C-alpha cells in the first residue's frame, strides 16, 4: 500500500529534487514574509518560469509545493512583528502573536510558531499519506454524475466556509465559472463569448488569469496601502528559541489544531484562512480559562499556526485524489499540473506514482527543512519585512510580464492580464475574495464536461445525477451545508 | 457605511447576466453529441448569477473605502505605466522598457528619483542576466538599439 511513498522518496531524494525543495522552502518563506505576496502570488509568478526551465513535472510540482508550505511558515513573521498578516492564512496569528512581540517576546514567539507550524504540518502530512490513497481508490468508481455532484458539493462548502459574505463568495465562484466558458466549446466547436477575437478561442489561459487576478490587482492595492502610513520599524527580535516548557504547554493545542486544520484543509474550497479562524475560536473555547487569549497567550499563537500549515497539506488530499483543489493555492498548483498535461484525479496514484508519491515525500522533507531553516534564520527572514514597496512592486511587475510573455509570446496575453488585474482590484474593493473566482475558473470546465457526459450517458435524463448512493450523499451534504448554518441557530432557539 | 456600491454592482451583474444569456441563445449547433449542447450550461450560470445579484441588490452589504481623487489618479498612473510598458515591450526591448517602467513605478511608490533610478538600473541588469543567462528565457531585445551603434 505504501509503495507509492517508497517510490516517492526515491524521487524526492534525488539531488535535483532535494535542491528544488530546499530552494522552494527558502523562497516560499520569503514570499510568505513579504506583505502582499502570499503563496498564490508566489506560485503564480514562478509557475511559468518553472515550466520554461523544462523541469520534469514532479520536480516542478515539488518546488511549487515547497513554496506553498514555506509561505505558510513565512506568513507569520509580519503578523507577529508588524501586526500585518503576510497572507490570508496568518490573519489570526496577529491576535496573540503581535502582543507577544510588543512584550519583547518576539524571538520566543517566532520560535514557538515555527515549532507549531512544524507539528501541524507533520500531522497533516501523515494524514495525507494515510488518507489520500484510500480516497483515490474509492474515487476510481466515480463516474461523471458523481463528479458533478462532487463539484456542487465543493461550491456549497466554499460558499459557506469562505469569506464573510456567502452571497459574494457564490457570485465570485459563478463569475469564475462563467469566465471558464469563454472560448471554443470542445465537443461542438461553437465559439462562446469570444468577441470574434482569435486570442480568446482557446479560452483564457490559467496563468494569465492567475497573474492578472492576484499579482496585478495586488500591485494596485499596495499603492493604496503604501500611501496610508506604514513603514514602522521592526521591534527588537531577541534570540529566537523555544523552551521545552512552552512546547509542553502548547502540546495539546498543537495536536488538536493540527488535526482540525487538516480536516478543514480537506474540504474543497476552504484554505488556510478558514483553518486558522476555526482553530483559534475552537481553542479559545477549550483552553482560554483565564481570558488571556488575545493578550499574548502562547497557545493562541500556536493554534492558528498549527492549523494553517496543516490545512496546506490537507488541501492536497482532494487535489491529488479527486482533481478538485482544496484551496485557492492548490487550484493554482492544479493549473501547473495541467500545463504538463497531467490529469489530476484518482488515477494519479496508480498511473503517475512518481508525481503523487514524490510530492508527498517532498512535503516530509520540506517540512523538516523549514523547521531547520526557520529556527536559526528567523532573524534573517524577518529582514525582508523592511524591503520597501518601491522595490517589491516593480519586481512583481517584471516577473508577471516576463512570465506571461514567455509562455505566450504575444502581447494580447499581457493586455488581458492587465484587464483581469483591474477586474480583480475592483472585486477586492467590493469585498470579494478572489479564491472562489479562481476555484470556479478551474472547476468550471470540469463541471460542465462532467454534466454533459453524464447526460449523454442517460440520454438527457436528469435523474442520472442522483442515481447512485455516492451522488445522493454528495447532494444531501451540499444541501445540508447550505441550509444548516441558517437553520441550526433557529432550531436551537426554538428548542430552548 | 455606504451600501450603494453593492446595489450598483448587483444591477451591473444582472445586466451582465442578461447579456450573457442573450448571447448564449445564439450558440446554435446543427448537431450535438450530447443532449445538453453548448447552450444550457452558460444559460444556467447566467440565471444563477442573476438570482444571486438580485439578493445583493435587496440586501446589500457595506464595503471598504474607495480611493479619493488623488489616489484614483495615482492608480490610473500605475495602470498607464503598465500599459505603456506592455505596448513598448517588444518594440523597444526588455532592457530599455524595464528600466523606464521600474524607475517610474518605484517613483510612484514614493521612492526618491535617485533611489528609483538606482532600483531601475539594478533590477533591469540583474533580471536581464538572470532571465537570459541563468534561466535561458528569450526576452525581446529591441534590435533597433544595436542598429544604432
Amino acid at each position: 500500500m505504501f509503495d507509492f511513498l517508497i517510490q516517492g522518496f526515491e524521487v524526492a531524494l534525488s539531488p535535483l529534487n532535494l535542491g528544488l525543495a530546499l530552494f522552494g522552502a527558502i523562497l516560499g518563506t520569503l514570499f510568505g514574509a513579504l506583505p502582499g505576496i502570499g503563496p498564490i502570488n508566489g506560485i503564480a509568478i514562478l509557475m511559468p518560469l518553472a515550466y520554461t526551465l523544462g523541469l520534469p513535472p514532479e520536480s516542478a510540482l515539488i518546488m511549487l509545493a515547497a513554496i506553498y508550505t514555506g509561505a505558510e511558515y513565512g506568513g507569520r513573521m509580519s503578523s507577529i512583528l508588524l501586526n500585518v498578516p503576510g497572507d490570508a492564512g496568518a490573519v489570526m496569528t496577529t491576535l496573540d502573536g503581535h502582543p507577544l512581540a510588543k512584550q519583547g517576546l518576539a524571538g520566543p514567539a517566532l520560535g514557538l510558531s515555527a515549532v507549531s507550524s512544524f507539528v501541524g504540518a507533520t500531522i497533516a502530512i501523515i494524514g495525507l499519506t494515510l488518507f489520500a490513497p484510500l480516497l483515490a481508490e474509492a474515487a476510481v468508481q466515480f463516474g461523471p454524475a458523481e463528479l458533478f455532484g462532487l463539484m456542487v458539493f465543493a461550491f456549497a462548502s466554499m460558499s459557506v466556509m469562505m469569506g464573510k459574505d456567502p452571497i459574494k463568495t457564490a457570485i465570485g465562484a459563478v463569475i469564475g465559472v462563467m469566465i471558464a466558458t469563454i472560448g471554443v466549446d470542445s465537443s461542438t466547436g461553437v465559439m462562446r463569448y469570444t468577441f470574434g477575437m482569435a486570442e480568446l478561442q482557446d479560452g483564457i489561459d490559467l496563468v494569465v488569469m492567475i497573474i492578472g487576478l492576484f499579482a496585478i490587482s495586488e500591485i494596485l492595492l499596495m499603492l493604496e496601502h503604501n500611501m496610508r502610513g506604514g513603514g514602522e520599524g521592526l521591534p527588537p527580535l531577541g534570540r529566537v528559541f523555544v523552551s521545552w516548557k512552552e512546547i509542553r504547554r502548547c502540546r495539546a493545542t498543537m495536536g488538536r489544531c493540527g488535526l482540525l486544520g487538516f480536516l478543514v484543509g480537506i474540504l474543497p474550497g476552504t484554505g488556510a484562512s478558514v483553518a486558522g479562524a476555526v482553530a483559534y475560536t475552537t481553542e479559545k473555547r477549550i483552553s482560554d480559562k483565564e481570558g488571556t487569549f488575545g493578550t499574548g497567550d502562547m497557545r493562541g499563537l500556536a493554534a492558528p499556526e498549527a492549523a494553517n500549515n496543516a490545512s496546506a497539506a490537507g488541501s492536497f488530499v482532494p487535489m491529488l485524489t479527486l482533481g478538485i483543489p482544496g484551496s485557492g493555492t492548490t487550484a493554482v498548483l492544479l493549473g501547473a499540473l495541467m500545463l504538463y498535461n497531467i490529469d489530476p484525479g484518482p488515477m494519479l496514484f496508480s498511473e503517475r506514482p512518481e508525481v503523487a508519491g514524490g510530492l508527498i515525500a517532498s512535503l516530509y522533507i520540506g517540512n523538516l527543512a523549514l523547521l531547520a531553516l526557520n529556527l536559526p534564520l528567523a532573524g534573517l527572514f524577518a529582514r525582508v519585512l523592511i524591503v520597501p514597496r518601491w522595490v517589491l512592486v516593480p519586481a512583481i511587475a517584471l516577473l508577471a510580464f516576463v512570465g506571461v510573455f514567455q509562455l505566450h509570446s504575444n502581447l494580447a496575453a499581457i493586455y488581458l492580464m492587465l484587464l483581469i488585474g483591474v477586474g480583480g482590484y475592483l472585486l477586492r474593493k467590493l469585498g470579494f475574495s478572489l479564491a472562489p473566482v479562481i476555484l470556479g475558473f478551474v472547476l468550471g470546465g470540469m463541471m460542465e464536461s462532467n454534466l454533459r457526459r453524464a447526460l449523454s450517458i442517460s440520454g438527457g435524463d436528469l435523474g442520472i445525477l442522483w442515481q447512485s448512493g455516492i451522488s445522493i450523499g454528495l447532494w444531501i451534504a451540499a444541501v445540508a451545508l447550505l441550509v444548516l448554518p441558517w437553520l441550526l441557530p433557529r432550531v436551537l432557539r426554538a428548542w430552548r | 457605511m455606504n451600501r450603494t456600491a453593492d446595489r450598483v454592482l448587483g444591477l451591473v451583474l444582472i445586466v451582465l447576466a442578461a447579456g450573457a444569456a442573450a448571447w448564449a441563445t445564439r450558440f446554435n449547433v446543427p448537431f450535438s453529441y450530447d443532449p445538453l449542447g453548448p447552450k444550457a450550461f452558460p444559460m444556467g450560470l447566467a440565471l444563477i448569477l442573476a438570482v444571486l445579484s438580485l439578493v445583493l441588490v435587496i440586501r446589500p452589504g457595506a464595503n471598504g473605502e474607495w480611493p479619493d481623487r488623488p489616489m484614483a489618479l495615482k492608480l490610473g498612473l500605475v495602470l498607464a505605466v503598465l500599459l505603456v510598458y506592455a505596448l513598448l515591450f517588444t518594440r523597444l526591448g526588455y532592457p530599455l522598457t524595464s528600466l523606464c517602467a521600474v524607475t517610474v513605478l518605484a517613483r510612484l511608490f514614493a521612492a526618491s528619483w535617485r533611489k528609483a533610478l538606482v532600483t531601475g538600473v539594478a533590477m533591469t541588469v540583474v533580471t536581464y542576466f538572470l532571465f537570459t543567462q541563468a534561466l535561458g528565457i528569450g526576452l525581446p531585445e529591441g534590435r533597433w538599439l544595436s542598429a544604432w551603434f
Side-chain angles (χ1 to χ4, degrees):
Chain A
M1 164 183 182
F2 291 112
D3 289 348
F4 77 95
L5 195 63
I6 295 167
Q7 196 183 346
F9 270 106
E10 274 166 25
V11 173
L13 285 172
S14 79
L16 171 72
N17 292 338
L18 210 54
L20 284 172
L22 275 178
F23 175 67
I26 296 172
L27 215 57
T29 311
L30 291 177
F31 282 156
L34 288 167
I37 310 189
I40 294 191
N41 267 329
I43 292 173
I45 292 171
L46 285 186
M47 191 162 85
L49 299 180
Y51 185 67
T52 337
L53 279 180
L55 294 173
E58 64 274 13
S59 305
L61 199 64
I62 284 172
M63 183 178 85
L64 296 176
I67 292 177
Y68 182 19
T69 44
E72 298 298 344
Y73 269 83
R76 71 194 208 286
M77 298 209 174
S78 60
S79 298
I80 293 172
L81 297 175
L82 299 178
N83 206 20
V84 178
D87 59 67
V91 174
M92 304 311 271
T93 312
T94 55
L95 296 180
D96 279 287
H98 190 58
L100 280 168
K102 275 207 221 139
Q103 294 162 23
L105 295 170
L110 284 175
L112 182 79
S113 59
V115 174
S116 339
S117 298
F118 173 77
V119 173
T122 305
I123 292 172
I125 298 168
I126 293 172
L128 170 67
T129 314
L130 298 174
F131 195 61
L134 294 178
L135 191 60
E137 224 160 88
V140 172
Q141 295 158 14
F142 279 30
E146 285 80 10
L147 284 173
F148 180 74
L150 189 68
M151 299 196 194
V152 172
F153 171 73
F155 280 116
S157 100
M158 192 157 74
S159 304
V160 176
M161 306 285 284
M162 212 186 239
K164 291 162 288 195
D165 188 342
I167 292 289
K168 282 188 176 167
T169 308
I171 290 179
V174 174
I175 290 176
V177 181
M178 286 177 93
I179 295 174
T181 59
I182 293 174
V184 66
D185 173 37
S186 54
S187 72
T188 58
V190 176
M191 297 292 174
R192 300 196 294 191
Y193 307 120
T194 55
F195 299 88
M197 282 188 276
E199 287 86 2
L200 286 178
Q201 267 184 30
D202 295 328
I204 290 179
D205 181 72
L206 183 73
V207 174
V208 174
M209 177 84 179
I210 295 165
I211 294 188
L213 206 57
F214 291 94
I216 302 296
S217 75
E218 190 65 49
I219 289 179
L220 297 175
L221 276 186
M222 275 201 222
L223 182 66
E224 288 184 30
H225 295 305
N226 196 41
M227 300 306 143
R228 220 178 286 145
E232 47 183 314
L234 288 179
L237 264 185
R239 209 162 66 82
V240 179
F241 71 101
V242 265
S243 65
W244 282 112
K245 201 176 116 236
E246 268 155 11
I247 293 181
R248 223 173 304 134
R249 179 146 172 271
C250 300
R251 196 171 46 182
T253 304
M254 291 180 202
R256 270 196 295 269
C257 293
L259 203 61
L260 205 60
F262 174 64
L263 294 175
V264 173
I266 291 179
L267 275 184
T270 52
S273 46
V274 180
V278 171
Y280 187 84
T281 41
T282 312
E283 193 57 32
K284 191 173 155 80
R285 216 166 287 160
I286 295 177
S287 40
D288 188 17
K289 302 246 160 49
E290 300 93 31
T292 49
F293 271 50
T295 60
D297 190 309
M298 282 290 185
R299 291 167 302 175
L301 172 67
E305 274 310 306
N308 66 27
N309 286 273
S311 86
S315 63
F316 281 109
V317 173
M319 175 195 147
L320 289 176
T321 58
L322 303 167
I324 288 188
S327 65
T329 314
T330 36
V332 178
L333 283 173
L334 202 66
L337 278 181
M338 288 170 176
L339 269 184
Y340 283 100
N341 285 324
I342 294 178
D343 239 351
M347 306 308 285
L348 196 65
F349 276 88
S350 45
E351 277 173 8
R352 303 296 293 266
E354 82 280 9
V355 174
L359 175 69
I360 294 178
S362 81
L363 288 176
Y364 282 99
I365 298 168
N367 195 32
L368 265 175
L370 278 166
L371 182 69
L373 282 172
N374 268 281
L375 281 179
L377 298 182
L380 208 62
F381 282 127
R383 291 272 162 74
V384 302
L385 292 180
I386 43 177
V387 170
R389 288 233 166 80
W390 45 266
V391 172
L392 199 57
V393 167
I396 296 177
L398 285 191
L399 288 168
F401 269 68
V402 172
V404 168
F405 183 79
Q406 52 95 11
L407 264 191
H408 292 276
S409 306
N410 70 45
L411 290 175
I414 291 186
Y415 294 135
L416 193 61
M417 167 188 86
L418 292 178
L419 187 71
I420 293 172
V422 175
Y425 166 77
L426 289 176
L427 283 177
R428 279 163 93 165
K429 290 303 279 186
L430 285 160
F432 286 80
S433 66
L434 294 179
V437 181
I438 203 71
L439 279 164
F441 181 75
V442 169
L443 291 179
M446 289 188 248
M447 194 171 184
E448 181 178 13
S449 63
N450 279 306
L451 175 65
R452 286 164 72 174
R453 220 173 287 155
L455 289 182
S456 46
I457 294 172
S458 73
D461 178 16
L462 280 172
I464 191 173
L465 294 180
W466 34 84
Q467 220 160 40
S468 73
I470 298 173
S471 10
I472 293 174
L474 285 166
W475 280 96
I476 291 176
V479 173
L481 264 178
L482 288 178
V483 176
L484 280 183
W486 177 83
L487 200 66
L488 215 55
R490 276 153 228 256
V491 171
L492 285 178
R493 216 177 304 145
W495 194 263
R496 288 196 198 120
Chain B
M1 284 293 265
N2 193 356
R3 285 167 193 272
T4 43
D6 268 10
R7 287 228 163 86
V8 174
L9 172 73
L11 292 175
V12 169
L13 287 176
I14 289 175
V15 173
L16 194 78
W23 196 344
T25 58
R26 292 193 286 146
F27 297 156
N28 290 317
V29 275
F31 175 75
S32 170
Y33 287 100
D34 62 301
L36 209 56
K39 219 187 268 187
F41 192 71
M43 290 186 76
L45 288 175
L47 183 71
I48 298 174
L49 181 64
V51 170
L52 289 170
S53 308
L54 198 64
V55 178
L56 198 64
V57 174
I58 297 169
R59 287 175 44 193
N63 23 61
E65 300 156 43
W66 288 85
D68 52 9
R69 196 171 275 270
M71 177 52 74
L73 189 75
K74 235 174 188 166
L75 284 168
L77 273 175
V78 169
L79 268 179
V81 171
L82 292 175
L83 200 65
V84 171
Y85 183 28
L87 271 170
L88 301 177
F89 194 62
T90 45
R91 262 165 249 176
L92 302 186
Y94 181 83
L96 184 66
T97 48
S98 299
L99 173 66
C100 299
V102 171
T103 308
V104 179
L105 274 180
R107 180 82 188 112
L108 279 171
F109 276 80
S112 66
W113 274 115
R114 231 177 81 93
K115 283 178 181 169
L117 202 61
V118 172
T119 312
V121 172
M123 205 177 280
T124 307
V125 171
V126 170
T127 53
Y128 182 77
F129 284 104
L130 181 75
F131 287 139
T132 54
Q133 304 302 315
L135 299 178
I137 293 171
L139 291 170
E141 302 275 346
R143 293 263 171 246
W144 63 279
L145 266 180
S146 43
W148 265 18
F149 296 110

